[in-house]
Amino acid sequence: MSLRRRRQLVPWLLIGPGLLWLAVFFAIPLANQLYVSLQTGDPETGYQFTWAFGTYTDAIADYQEQFLRSIGYAATATILCLVIGFPLAYYTAFKARPWMRNLILLLVILPFFVSSVLRTVSWQLILFDDGWIVARFRDLGLLGDDGRLLATRTAVIAGITYNFLPFMILPLYVSLERIDRRLVEAATDLYASRASAFRHVTLPLALPGIFAGSLLTFIPACGDFINAALLGTPRQSMIGNVIQSKFLFVQDYPTAAALSFILMTFILVGVALYARLLGTKTLTDSAV
Amino acid sequence: MTDPNFERRLEELLASDRVSRRRFLGRTAGAGLAVGGLGAFLAACGGVEGTADDANTATVATASHPKEAIAAWTFANWPLYMEKKLLTDFDKEFGGKVKYVEEINDNYEFFSKVRQQLQNGQPIGRDIVVLTDYMAQRWVKDGYAEPIDKKNVPNAANLVENLQTIAYDPERSYTLPYQSGAVGIGYNIKKTGRELTSIDDFFDPEFKGRVTLFSEPYDAASTVLIQQGKDPEKATIDELLEAIEVISQANDDGQFRRFTGNDYTTDLTKGNAWVCMAYSGDLVQLESDNPDLRFAYPEQGAVRFTDNMMMPAKVEHPYAAETMMNYLYEPQVAAKLAAYVNYISPVDGIKEILEQTDPEIASNELIFPSDEVAANLKNYPQLTPAEERQMREAMAQVTGA
């Protein structure tokens, strides 16, 4: 084989394993799922492929409440993550000494060493009705005497926020850390107040991190079912709970597959709109 | 490990930490969902090619499994559901080596795992499986179970009278009960301020928002049927749907805090819920931890669930499996098992043995219900798979998923 031919082969060898992986574990299951979602039948009499698009419209009609709830919870949690995560990422990137920075990053990553299910279960033990937290909330008048935290919307959103916070902090930190501090200095030299230097220099430069962080938080949060199952009630059930129940409990595979596709489509469209809104072009322009 | 009994000790540790089988399930259910979800999905993908299997409706059958040397064979059961020492004793006495796998976390999940092979008429590589009534029924009806050769299981005569016949297997040709339990009222008497005795207490407005029910309709809807004076075993799908409607209305009024699996125990022990639909075996443990917790068999009667030993169709080591069944039906052995798992044993004559060895267990009404209570235990409804899905779909609507 000539050197030229071999050179041409190199890119394929490099992307080959990745492509193969994607094909086997992503594309094929996805196609299969699409196929299942358009079938009708039941596990006993078998399934036939019938182009059953009705499953999709029925699924939207039956479960729009859970869809909207998932989106609402995921959006709220994403905003909370941003509000909580930004100051921490900012401090870590700009103010913390190196050892402190390493410590904070370690602490952010540490929860990943424990299964998220276990961590969420331990929230049950923190928030229980006769517990310390609930008692203090009652003392402060934040909860009525018979109020509770567990099995409420608050608990579910708090759980999601907690579980996905690291996915927000890490990209924020990376984008903030890359900012050249001299740009902020230059802004203040040119008589910008600290606030307007932050608004006109730091924040725009951090936008890629905000964008990445909110996607990494919002997308999995939309499909989450662990928090709603463990910290909520039927009134908090999310679309992930419906899909899970359709697969395992009701054994209605076509509807479960259709719901997954609807969720995926929604997220793709949402992400596209969001990217447009933030303007990826201005994102890159502002970094120059 | 230098300590050969390490595994056993670990289990004792777990047991003394009050993790009974069903509670263990509750704790791991979430993890199971995450992992099982994928498995079930893959199984579902495989299952879509499945076709109707003409149900082998003969429910009385005989088999002949000649005696042979026992070699390596497999026993699939639920986690924390076996006194492991009995297994080593069995190997010593009868030879061979039992491979004991705690792989059944959920009837449906397990069924998804082996369904393809069963439908194709292939052996599934397990010689005994332990399945709850509604799943056992399905296997018997669909011809996925191998009849038991009664000549190899003479101890089956020790089966308690009230389990000797069950609608889906009137002669116990395919199934032999492993353990039973009852669905009753678990409550915290300090919170309720009074003793509870009735299914009506789940619906008492006094406990509004402090009640949990099982999300499993076989348990929840059957209990409501008993409240209405009906026998769940004879209930029609319409009656079950009506019962679910009763639950739905109370749920709309905010009566129930949650619908749970085995994880109700957290809500009960932490005081989040005062009145829980509960499994008798769990409360044996919980009561000994916290004297305020109680279990009541409802006065109207209680649903009894039974987990059954059975051999899958095309079983490869039937003689070994039957020898094990026979062994577990020896009263001495059954007594050890009952003392370990705390559920209701289906084997006659073990109370007398435990009165000598473990009087506390022998006198526990949750493990040895009185004759009066025992006479009032009801079996699960008999449904076709389509009806079962209809029931589950209705219940899923109530539980919001």
Side-chain angles (χ1 to χ4, degrees):
Chain A
M1 204 185 292
S2 73
L3 185 65
R4 225 187 100 145
R5 286 287 303 275
R6 251 186 283 169
R7 283 224 171 120
Q8 279 175 340
L9 215 59
V10 166
W12 290 107
L13 285 177
L14 289 176
I15 60 170
L19 269 187
L20 194 68
W21 182 271
L22 274 181
V24 174
F25 293 107
F26 184 71
I28 295 175
L30 206 63
N32 188 16
Q33 199 183 343
L34 186 66
Y35 182 64
V36 170
S37 75
L38 295 172
Q39 292 178 334
T40 43
D42 58 62
E44 285 72 42
T45 54
Y47 290 93
Q48 285 82 41
F49 187 76
T50 53
W51 294 105
F53 284 108
T55 312
Y56 281 79
T57 46
D58 289 350
I60 294 176
D62 290 348
Y63 298 105
Q64 55 174 331
E65 185 191 338
Q66 282 88 344
F67 267 116
L68 292 175
R69 191 180 288 140
S70 298
I71 294 158
Y73 286 6
T76 313
T78 306
I79 293 167
L80 284 172
C81 280
L82 187 61
V83 171
I84 298 168
F86 197 91
L88 183 74
Y90 187 87
Y91 173 83
T92 315
F94 295 141
K95 310 283 180 193
R97 291 159 189 274
W99 67 268
M100 187 69 176
R101 175 182 300 184
N102 290 338
L103 180 69
I104 292 174
L105 290 178
L106 178 72
L107 290 177
V108 168
I109 298 169
L110 207 57
F112 287 126
F113 288 83
V114 180
S115 134
S116 74
V117 174
L118 286 184
R119 283 185 278 128
T120 311
V121 167
S122 45
W123 271 71
Q124 287 185 329
L125 307 180
I126 297 169
L127 298 181
F128 74 97
D129 289 17
D130 298 343
W132 190 86
I133 302 266
V134 170
R136 295 296 80 77
F137 268 61
R138 284 179 187 156
D139 292 347
L140 293 170
L142 292 170
L143 277 178
D145 279 345
D146 204 28
R148 66 188 194 198
L149 282 174
L150 206 56
T152 62
R153 186 174 56 187
T154 315
V156 177
I157 294 176
I160 298 174
T161 307
Y162 160 75
N163 271 305
F164 292 104
L165 189 56
F167 294 105
M168 179 63 90
I169 292 176
L170 293 176
L172 280 179
Y173 165 76
V174 170
S175 72
L176 286 170
E177 201 250 357
R178 274 200 321 222
I179 294 175
D180 188 340
R181 293 307 290 158
R182 287 173 303 179
L183 291 172
V184 181
E185 269 171 42
T188 43
D189 284 351
L190 295 167
Y191 301 102
S193 67
R194 292 182 69 110
S196 67
F198 176 79
R199 198 150 54 88
H200 294 291
V201 179
T202 313
L203 200 58
L205 289 175
L207 269 186
I210 295 174
F211 180 71
S214 37
L215 288 190
L216 284 177
T217 309
F218 181 77
I219 294 173
C222 270
D224 183 82
F225 61 92
I226 292 172
N227 289 283
L230 295 177
L231 305 175
T233 71
R235 279 176 212 85
Q236 279 82 43
S237 75
M238 295 168 67
I239 200 64
N241 303 82
V242 178
I243 295 173
Q244 191 259 339
S245 147
K246 285 281 175 202
F247 261 126
L248 290 178
F249 184 73
V250 184
Q251 297 182 294
D252 179 353
Y253 304 128
T255 303
L259 284 168
S260 309
F261 261 90
I262 296 167
L263 179 66
M264 201 166 67
T265 313
F266 167 79
I267 289 174
L268 284 177
V269 171
V271 168
L273 285 176
Y274 182 58
R276 250 211 127 98
L277 184 80
L278 272 189
T280 27
K281 183 143 189 327
T282 45
L283 280 182
T284 42
D285 284 354
S286 65
V288 179
Chain B
M1 288 309 144
T2 48
D3 184 352
N5 291 323
F6 176 75
E7 197 186 343
R8 169 69 193 150
R9 291 199 178 193
L10 187 66
E11 263 172 41
E12 278 172 356
L13 196 71
L14 283 171
S16 65
D17 195 24
R18 311 297 179 203
V19 186
S20 72
R21 182 200 125 207
R22 285 188 183 261
R23 284 182 68 195
F24 175 81
L25 296 182
R27 285 181 190 172
T28 50
L33 297 184
V35 180
L38 181 65
F41 171 68
L42 294 176
C45 295
V48 291
E49 303 296 340
T51 50
D53 199 277
D54 276 327
N56 173 2
T57 42
T59 46
V60 180
T62 51
S64 176
H65 300 130
K67 188 175 162 131
E68 58 181 17
I70 295 175
W73 65 285
T74 306
F75 186 161
N77 205 345
W78 300 67
L80 300 179
Y81 214 21
M82 172 59 88
E83 161 68 284
K84 293 277 174 64
K85 188 163 177 302
L86 296 175
L87 298 172
T88 45
D89 289 354
F90 179 86
D91 284 349
K92 242 180 260 164
E93 193 173 338
F94 298 96
K97 175 90 187 95
V98 51
K99 184 175 163 206
Y100 183 77
V101 276
E102 299 183 326
E103 64 172 341
I104 309 178
N105 278 297
D106 177 287
N107 284 293
Y108 291 92
E109 207 182 293
F110 180 72
F111 182 43
S112 312
K113 212 155 126 185
V114 296
R115 166 185 245 155
Q116 198 91 50
Q117 285 143 295
L118 290 169
Q119 281 178 342
N120 294 343
Q122 295 161 344
I124 64 168
R126 287 103 173 155
D127 301 298
I128 296 183
V129 296
V130 177
L131 299 173
T132 312
D133 279 333
Y134 51 88
M135 185 55 73
Q137 173 202 351
R138 190 155 172 183
W139 283 42
V140 171
K141 285 213 168 124
D142 288 354
Y144 298 155
E146 168 81 10
I148 299 169
D149 182 350
K150 290 289 176 60
K151 287 193 301 297
N152 294 332
V153 195
N155 288 339
N158 296 333
L159 176 61
V160 290
E161 204 188 331
N162 59 18
L163 283 174
Q164 277 171 6
T165 182
I166 192 155
Y168 64 85
D169 191 9
E171 304 279 320
R172 290 285 178 195
S173 315
Y174 297 89
T175 59
L176 209 48
Y178 182 73
Q179 298 284 306
S180 301
V183 178
I185 314 165
Y187 64 103
N188 184 327
I189 196 160
K190 247 195 179 147
K191 302 272 190 186
T192 59
R194 64 179 172 89
E195 279 190 26
L196 305 186
T197 54
S198 165
I199 296 171
D200 302 341
D201 291 322
F202 288 122
F203 298 91
D204 189 336
E206 205 187 326
F207 308 133
K208 187 174 164 181
R210 295 293 189 173
V211 182
T212 69
L213 296 188
F214 285 131
S215 55
E216 173 56 64
Y218 273 114
D219 293 329
S222 301
T223 301
V224 171
L225 285 175
I226 293 174
Q227 181 190 26
Q228 297 168 343
K230 294 170 186 153
D231 181 356
E233 194 172 6
K234 301 193 181 85
T236 63
I237 178 69
D238 290 332
E239 287 174 314
L240 280 159
L241 294 178
E242 275 167 39
I244 291 173
E245 186 51 36
V246 170
I247 296 171
S248 172
Q249 275 172 14
N251 185 44
D252 290 343
D253 297 340
Q255 178 70 11
F256 306 120
R257 180 171 172 123
R258 286 177 71 209
F259 290 89
T260 70
N262 309 95
D263 50 336
Y264 72 90
T265 53
T266 312
D267 282 323
L268 186 59
T269 50
K270 287 288 172 189
N272 300 328
W274 300 348
V275 184
C276 293
M277 196 172 268
Y279 294 123
S280 57
D282 291 342
L283 267 290
V284 175
Q285 305 281 359
L286 299 181
E287 278 181 350
S288 66
D289 283 351
N290 179 350
D292 294 332
L293 299 184
R294 302 283 164 89
F295 179 86
Y297 293 105
E299 60 196 10
Q300 296 97 328
V303 183
R304 166 184 44 204
F305 60 87
T306 301
D307 294 331
N308 305 277
M309 295 187 275
M310 50 205 299
M311 293 182 287
K314 310 280 176 200
V315 60
E316 289 155 300
H317 308 102
Y319 182 73
E322 283 157 354
T323 309
M324 175 58 94
M325 290 180 187
N326 194 47
Y327 176 70
L328 291 174
Y329 265 68
E330 267 171 37
Q332 291 290 346
V333 175
K336 284 181 197 155
L337 183 61
Y340 183 84
V341 298
N342 290 338
Y343 277 92
I344 302 172
S345 173
V347 180
D348 239 343
I350 69 170
K351 191 172 181 181
E352 293 71 23
I353 297 170
L354 284 168
E355 271 163 1
Q356 305 296 319
T357 57
D358 208 335
E360 206 181 312
I361 284 184
S363 62
N364 191 323
E365 247 233 326
L366 302 195
I367 303 172
F368 294 101
S370 67
D371 292 344
E372 195 188 338
V373 168
N376 232 348
L377 293 176
K378 316 277 189 200
N379 294 321
Y380 280 138
Q382 306 281 307
L383 300 176
T384 66
E387 289 171 338
E388 185 182 277
R389 262 197 317 283
Q390 208 182 340
M391 171 179 82
R392 287 173 166 260
E393 185 130 19
M395 193 67 192
Q397 296 285 342
V398 180
T399 61

